[in-house]
Amino acid sequence: MSNVIDRSREIGPYIPAPDDDRIICRCEEVTQGEIRRAVHEGMWTMTEIRRYLRTGMGLCQGQTCGKLVKGIVARELGVPMAALEPATSRVPMRPIEMRVFANEAKEGGEHE
Amino acid sequence: MKRYDLIVVGAGPSGLSAAIEAAKRGLRTVVFDENEKPGGQLFKQIHKFFGSREHRAKIRGYVIGQQLLEEADSLGVEVRLNATVIGLYQDKEVVVKLADEVVHCKGDAIIIATGAAENMVTFEGWTLPGVIGAGAAQTMMNLHGIKPGQRVLMLGSGNVGLVVSFQLLQCGCEVVALVDAAPKIGGYGVHAAKIARTGVPFYLSHTIVRAEGDDCVTGVTIAKVDEHFQFIPGTEKKFEVDTICLAVGLSPMSQLLKMAGCKMEDNPRRGGQVPICDAYGRTSLAGVFVAGDVSGIEEASSAMIEGRMAGIAACEYLGFMEKEELAAQLASQERALDGLRQGMFAPQNRGRAVAETEEGIAVSASLLRHGYISDDEIERFPGITHRAGVHPVMECTQNIPCNPCQDACPKGCISIGANITSLPVVVESAECMNCGMCVASCSGQAIFLVEEDCGDDTATVTLPYEFLPLPAAGTKGDALGRSGQRVCEAEVVGVRSAKAFDKTNLLTIKVPKEYAMKARFFRSMHN
């Protein structure tokens, strides 16, 4: 773990790969190359990657790409996948329309 | 805010089982599930389950789903569907989306049984329409009655890949190949064998190079990989397909637990991010329990027992049960779970190369590599014997926890013994009466009734048949060998469909007697 967040560690330069144009996060259309480059730009945690690129923030909420992105970041950092902390889990756990999200049920109220 | 004794998230096999145990002991229980139908994956499972009677073996998955629902219903469990849990907060506050409202509830105990999601692999063209998960294929076929495609390539030879391939065949698709990057088949040999004998080729140590097509999948290229999973140039093979099905594992959907603050770990042996919990599903947060795939990928049969254990543990936590009773109740569930976690495919044996069966017999290398037992390997297994008259031939060659065949035979011809993973053996002193119960009882479709010499240079082979249309007696066609290759001409001389066979039809074919131990499938001339 400490190895992962030790940002003084040298991970070498970004070397383009022939399949870097492959889409990894389909919902937000983020490619493998963008993820790899982001690591070399200093995004070393899943939370940073998510905020920087919006991976896993689309309709499927990372259900499809979560593991794939993690694999790419881990490989780029040269650490095992299990060593990377997953991004924070937050409400809403599933995509939800704002009009529903804001519509709290009155049922019973506080007095029940 | 609505209050419950117990809130269960997920109405799959483990969630329903947990709710049943809780409701039995008087807990006011609600189950939320985001789907429009309950049962989780159970209603997509049309095959017969393995195990023993206590694990509901030889009952089809969807029937187990119906049984669980009825039981839950009779106990007064409230199952809310289209109910998406969007958050789990402090003090066990659950936030649910119900219709177009957000509802807050509180449970004194919470059981998370959210299951798992399918993994994906990427390759050139993987985002093309036509590349689907095996679970999606199952949903289309078995919940909505839609054929996923005409010509399908399956990637992944675990039990999901094997079971779904068979279902694709049943629904009338052509499965052009079953492909896996691993050097050997991951799932049960009997599941592989029932696909191989229909003629589906297996490509182990192969994986997908690219999906072809502009707007949708029109083809797929696979290639051989070396031991480092790198493509070997020049080994490419191309197939024309409209569907590529991916069955490359599952990941626990454990986000709610992480959000709630449970201690988590990344455990590749359990499928990814899982809560740290004890054997009864107790997490690091008092009163928050887990059960089923969300705490580690296994199968529906074990998920149901885990659910029961978590349900029982929740009862004790809330004071609905004494400590002593808890121990007794959990012990019987643990025995049931131990029974399932035995044999070559047990969690502790995952990834281990097994060279011999528990009986000391060399496992079939061909079965692991090609999906079928070769003709020169089959004779060494104890289920294969020869005698005059009709007798059972059990091509069961791996130690898996399953024993319905031994109870199925009214004459006692088949014995497994007390050890549930033992290979079935033929009891020499018992006389087979050709009732067919063993053939229909075998969840792996690995039992055949053979009369090796009918006296006129022919033999008959009775085989399990779960395809439509059902050939009528008198239909002529080809007998296929275990490999799916044609071995000889054959004629259907008998078709049996009894209620006791539970939708497994028994086809009896006549073949020249030298093919008695080779003919294992029938293809009518019209196909």
Side-chain angles (χ1 to χ4, degrees):
Chain A
M1 196 67 218
S2 55
N3 202 22
V4 182
I5 47 168
D6 171 14
R7 289 175 198 266
S8 62
R9 198 161 58 87
E10 187 51 61
I11 59 162
Y14 162 71
I15 300 161
D19 51 2
D20 270 354
D21 60 349
R22 185 179 293 166
I23 288 192
I24 301 298
C25 170
R26 308 173 65 158
C27 304
E28 296 290 324
E29 300 191 343
V30 184
T31 65
Q32 175 180 297
E34 288 174 288
I35 299 165
R36 293 187 57 229
R37 258 195 307 272
V39 175
H40 291 274
E41 283 160 11
M43 307 301 143
W44 282 24
T45 65
M46 294 306 290
T47 300
E48 287 165 347
I49 293 279
R50 186 167 79 174
R51 290 182 183 207
Y52 195 58
L53 297 173
R54 289 194 55 80
T55 49
M57 292 182 80
L59 195 62
C60 90
Q61 289 291 291
Q63 206 74 75
T64 309
C65 72
K67 235 181 185 172
L68 300 173
V69 175
K70 204 171 166 188
I72 294 167
V73 174
R75 214 175 323 130
E76 219 53 39
L77 288 173
V79 299
M81 241 173 101
L84 281 181
E85 184 84 9
T88 315
S89 299
R90 268 196 202 89
V91 168
M93 214 53 75
R94 289 281 197 256
I96 185 170
E97 290 171 68
M98 283 310 292
R99 66 174 182 89
V100 179
F101 196 37
N103 188 25
E104 299 251 336
K106 301 290 179 290
E107 172 195 26
E110 292 106 77
H111 304 297
E112 199 187 49
Chain B
M1 193 177 320
K2 213 155 186 188
R3 283 185 165 276
Y4 294 92
D5 294 325
L6 173 66
I7 297 177
V8 180
V9 186
S14 61
L16 286 176
S17 303
I20 286 169
E21 290 300 326
K24 251 188 220 172
R25 293 168 180 85
L27 274 69
R28 189 169 172 232
T29 306
V30 67
V31 185
F32 294 119
D33 195 295
E34 62 181 337
N35 299 294
E36 58 179 324
K37 288 180 182 164
Q41 301 303 305
L42 276 177
F43 284 93
K44 304 176 195 172
Q45 309 308 327
I46 58 172
H47 61 283
K48 294 177 177 173
F49 275 35
F50 292 82
S52 67
R53 198 176 293 156
E54 63 174 339
H55 310 118
R56 306 185 198 229
K58 80 170 185 182
I59 301 178
R60 295 183 190 274
Y62 70 94
V63 178
I64 297 177
Q66 286 161 357
Q67 291 172 347
L68 281 180
L69 271 180
E70 279 162 25
E71 199 180 347
D73 200 45
S74 70
L75 289 164
V77 173
E78 183 185 343
V79 179
R80 301 292 299 264
L81 301 172
N82 293 311
T84 309
V85 172
I86 58 171
L88 174 55
Y89 290 94
Q90 247 180 349
D91 298 329
K92 308 190 188 75
E93 182 174 343
V94 173
V95 185
V96 199
K97 175 190 165 249
L98 278 167
D100 56 0
E101 280 186 334
V102 170
V103 179
H104 294 250
C105 315
K106 234 171 188 183
D108 291 333
I110 309 277
I111 296 179
I112 302 292
T114 40
E118 293 195 275
N119 291 340
M120 287 289 129
V121 286
T122 68
F123 42 81
E124 194 183 326
W126 80 286
T127 53
L128 282 172
V131 180
I132 60 173
Q138 263 192 328
T139 306
M140 289 164 85
M141 291 187 286
N142 301 337
L143 291 187
H144 303 292
I146 294 165
K147 201 170 164 183
Q150 302 300 323
R151 290 170 57 83
V152 188
L153 179 129
M154 175 68 73
L155 180 71
S157 70
N159 276 335
V160 174
L162 297 174
V163 165
V164 175
S165 292
F166 191 74
Q167 291 176 4
L168 286 163
L169 293 169
Q170 287 177 306
C171 123
C173 304
E174 190 183 340
V175 178
V176 301
L178 210 147
V179 178
D180 200 314
K184 57 178 194 178
I185 289 167
Y188 288 175
V190 285
H191 277 321
K194 69 185 189 191
I195 301 162
R197 74 171 83 108
T198 71
V200 175
F202 283 66
Y203 292 91
L204 277 294
S205 297
H206 278 73
T207 194
I208 296 174
V209 179
R210 78 182 73 85
E212 327 268 351
D214 297 324
D215 305 319
C216 60
V217 172
T218 56
V220 58
T221 300
I222 64 166
K224 205 169 174 175
V225 292
D226 61 21
E227 61 270 33
H228 307 295
F229 298 103
Q230 299 300 310
F231 290 117
I232 303 173
T235 59
E236 292 84 0
K237 279 182 196 69
K238 210 175 148 170
F239 298 90
E240 262 179 44
V241 295
D242 53 25
T243 305
I244 298 171
C245 223
L246 306 178
V248 291
L250 300 166
S251 291
M253 286 203 280
S254 56
Q255 294 93 331
L256 273 176
L257 293 154
K258 185 173 162 65
M259 179 195 167
C262 289
K263 281 206 184 96
M264 307 289 288
E265 63 169 344
D266 202 312
N267 187 337
R269 291 176 68 88
R270 291 164 72 191
Q273 271 289 312
V274 287
I276 292 172
C277 63
D278 69 7
Y280 314 123
R282 290 185 276 227
T283 67
S284 63
L285 291 182
V288 177
F289 301 81
V290 288
D293 276 355
V294 71
S295 62
I297 306 299
E298 267 184 88
E299 40 165 332
S301 306
S302 36
M304 286 188 276
I305 303 174
E306 283 180 16
R308 289 190 186 272
M309 296 208 285
I312 293 167
C315 292
E316 191 270 338
Y317 170 76
L318 293 180
F320 283 71
M321 189 192 282
E322 298 298 326
K323 274 246 167 353
E324 300 75 53
E325 200 198 337
L326 172 80
Q329 296 277 345
L330 288 176
S332 79
Q333 298 295 335
E334 265 181 296
R335 270 194 300 279
L337 193 55
D338 276 350
L340 280 177
R341 288 175 174 166
Q342 301 296 324
M344 292 179 177
F345 295 87
Q348 64 272 20
N349 284 334
R350 235 171 250 169
R352 207 180 283 174
V354 179
E356 279 187 352
T357 69
E358 290 163 11
E359 293 80 1
I361 304 166
V363 297
S364 161
S366 171
L367 182 62
L368 294 174
R369 192 73 195 159
H370 307 294
Y372 58 87
I373 306 159
S374 64
D375 291 342
D376 59 343
E377 291 171 324
I378 192 74
E379 294 288 338
R380 65 177 182 242
F381 296 99
I384 288 85
T385 57
H386 304 278
R387 65 153 84 174
V390 178
H391 61 93
V393 171
M394 296 166 289
E395 307 198 346
C396 180
T397 66
Q398 293 175 327
N399 302 112
I400 55 177
C402 188
N403 67 4
C405 55
Q406 115 175 315
D407 297 330
C409 181
K411 292 288 186 182
C413 292
I414 302 171
S415 167
I416 286 185
N419 182 6
I420 188 179
T421 58
S422 299
L423 301 183
V425 298
V426 179
V427 177
E428 292 295 338
S429 56
E431 202 60 48
C432 172
M433 58 184 233
N434 194 19
C435 69
M437 288 306 290
C438 57
V439 179
S441 79
C442 178
S443 311
Q445 298 187 20
I447 302 183
F448 304 84
L449 287 171
V450 181
E451 180 160 18
E452 295 178 46
D453 190 350
C454 303
D456 56 355
D457 280 339
T458 66
T460 59
V461 178
T462 299
L463 48 93
Y465 196 84
E466 294 193 350
F467 295 96
L468 292 172
L470 197 57
T475 308
K476 291 196 163 67
D478 293 328
L480 307 185
R482 295 180 187 90
S483 68
Q485 297 294 309
R486 178 188 185 276
V487 292
C488 61
E489 272 182 9
E491 182 184 340
V492 177
V493 293
V495 182
R496 285 184 272 174
S497 312
K499 193 157 183 248
F501 296 163
D502 186 18
K503 298 187 172 68
T504 303
N505 305 290
L506 270 49
L507 222 56
T508 303
I509 58 172
K510 200 175 241 324
V511 294
K513 75 172 190 190
E514 58 269 36
Y515 298 109
M517 290 306 288
K518 294 199 163 85
R520 288 297 176 262
F521 195 66
F522 177 77
R523 189 166 57 198
S524 78
M525 256 172 344
H526 305 292
N527 287 346

